[in-house]
Amino acid sequence: MFYLKHLRLINKLIILFIFVFCGCAEKKTENKVVAQVNDSKLTEEELELFLGNNKNKNNTREEFIRDWIETEVLYLEAKEQGITDLNEYKTYLQNSQKELAVGLLIKRNFENYTENIQESDLIRYYNKNKLDFKLSCDSYLISLIKFNNITEAENFRLKVDETNWKSVVAEKIRLKKATIIVDDKMIEEYNIFPSIIKNYIEGMNENEISVVIKVSGNEAYIAKLYKKYFANDIPEFKDIRNTVEFRYSNERKQLAYKSFLTDLYSKYEITK
């Protein structure tokens, strides 16, 4: 997709600029310093900016800090060897700044771009592009619940049936005795893990609930099969509605990006 290359690039460039410019410039800040190399400091605020939703994952945090320190010492050595005075370095720097600005522009205008999509739009798109939704392999519309205690899984299986599945699952989730792995979603056979689960699902009927599938130790799963599709089938709209909406939204976003770019071509003077 045209705009996605910019969104992917921006993440790499932001890391680069955090490393080089946020780190190597001396900062006057009240933020807690989590690492320091000479006068360069990495603050808690900068660390959280990069880590985002992963800020509580120790492995990711420590890896980033190690990478920051490595980059700092290499940058200091590059300065000492005169790398930052080279025209080649300055050219790369200028291009990187442009790419970062472009990435931020695209992110501002398109990362959270939405349209008021009607259900009729999705149905019309699905009907027009049905062949694009043809399955390349056997797929299953399922729900899959994981238990870390076989006794809990067995108790759940005794209570649940086709009519009360959602309410019994919700209760287990509320009590933190189970985890939803797949929730009423189409999934390809090669994406079903652990693979032993697929062996059970293949022999099930529509709307059937599996026995307790014991995997290892106390780990167990219970699946509910809503529907099975075979390779080259075209699923019903209701079974892949989220997939249809995702594709339709992305196409609309691409069209919006093209329109945005066309306007810019008219706005600025271009010669070849």
Side-chain angles (χ1 to χ4, degrees):
M1 298 175 190
F2 297 102
Y3 64 94
L4 286 182
K5 65 178 181 181
H6 297 294
L7 292 180
R8 284 193 290 265
L9 179 60
I10 189 175
N11 292 325
K12 298 178 181 179
L13 290 171
I14 286 174
I15 295 172
L16 172 65
F17 276 76
I18 288 176
F19 278 159
V20 177
F21 295 102
C22 293
C24 296
E26 184 176 357
K27 292 181 281 293
K28 295 180 180 179
T29 178
E30 299 298 325
N31 292 323
K32 177 183 175 183
V33 175
V34 296
Q36 181 169 349
V37 177
N38 286 2
D39 294 330
S40 300
K41 300 175 182 178
L42 176 65
T43 67
E44 188 71 39
E45 182 180 11
E46 291 164 351
L47 185 60
E48 289 190 5
L49 175 65
F50 170 75
L51 294 178
N53 294 331
N54 295 318
K55 63 183 178 182
N56 293 321
K57 296 182 179 179
N58 288 331
N59 290 342
T60 305
R61 178 186 176 90
E62 292 305 315
E63 182 181 356
F64 181 83
I65 293 173
R66 285 196 302 271
D67 288 345
W68 182 86
I69 292 172
E70 179 179 321
T71 299
E72 287 297 312
V73 297
L74 288 171
Y75 178 76
L76 290 173
E77 183 61 23
K79 286 181 67 176
E80 185 169 306
Q81 293 190 22
I83 298 296
T84 56
D85 295 325
L86 297 177
N87 289 332
E88 182 182 10
Y89 167 81
K90 294 175 182 178
T91 299
Y92 283 136
L93 179 59
Q94 184 180 34
N95 289 336
S96 295
Q97 288 175 322
K98 287 181 180 179
E99 291 289 353
L100 180 59
V102 168
L104 289 171
L105 175 69
I106 300 302
K107 183 177 181 181
R108 172 185 290 179
N109 286 276
F110 295 101
E111 185 177 47
N112 298 315
Y113 176 86
T114 58
E115 290 187 7
N116 183 22
I117 298 174
Q118 303 296 320
E119 195 74 5
S120 58
D121 295 328
L122 298 180
I123 294 173
R124 185 163 48 251
Y125 177 78
Y126 166 79
N127 288 329
K128 183 179 178 181
N129 300 278
K130 270 190 175 182
L131 290 178
D132 293 340
F133 296 100
K134 182 184 291 187
L135 298 173
S136 60
C137 65
D138 291 354
S139 300
Y140 305 88
L141 183 65
I142 63 171
S143 288
L144 183 63
I145 312 300
K146 176 184 177 182
F147 297 83
N148 291 321
N149 183 297
I150 291 178
T151 301
E152 284 292 343
E154 291 172 341
N155 289 338
F156 172 87
R157 186 62 188 88
L158 289 173
K159 294 178 181 178
V160 75
D161 59 35
E162 295 176 11
T163 62
N164 66 1
W165 171 270
K166 288 188 179 297
S167 61
V168 178
V169 168
E171 178 66 9
K172 289 295 183 182
I173 299 302
R174 185 182 69 82
L175 296 173
K176 298 182 178 179
K177 293 183 177 181
T179 304
I180 297 176
I181 305 301
V182 179
D183 187 16
D184 194 2
K185 181 180 178 182
M186 183 79 73
I187 185 167
E188 300 88 349
E189 59 180 354
Y190 56 78
N191 280 328
I192 298 176
F193 296 103
S195 57
I196 188 175
I197 296 172
K198 183 172 75 71
N199 299 334
Y200 283 86
I201 293 176
E202 283 179 334
M204 292 168 60
N205 297 316
E206 289 186 8
N207 291 314
E208 184 179 351
I209 299 171
S210 74
V211 297
V212 175
I213 305 171
K214 300 176 183 179
V215 177
S216 61
N218 257 333
E219 185 178 319
Y221 295 81
I222 295 177
K224 180 175 181 179
L225 173 66
Y226 298 99
K227 194 164 187 176
K228 178 178 179 179
Y229 286 99
F230 297 96
N232 295 318
D233 283 349
I234 298 176
E236 295 180 48
F237 170 78
K238 63 182 179 64
D239 292 337
I240 55 169
R241 184 195 177 283
N242 290 341
T243 299
V244 175
E245 183 177 20
F246 177 78
R247 292 190 187 181
Y248 179 74
S249 297
N250 276 329
E251 285 197 15
R252 298 300 302 173
K253 192 177 290 189
Q254 287 185 64
L255 289 173
Y257 173 77
K258 288 181 180 179
S259 176
F260 178 71
L261 199 58
T262 298
D263 290 343
L264 295 182
Y265 276 34
S266 300
K267 181 178 180 179
Y268 297 102
E269 184 178 342
I270 300 174
T271 58
K272 293 184 178 180

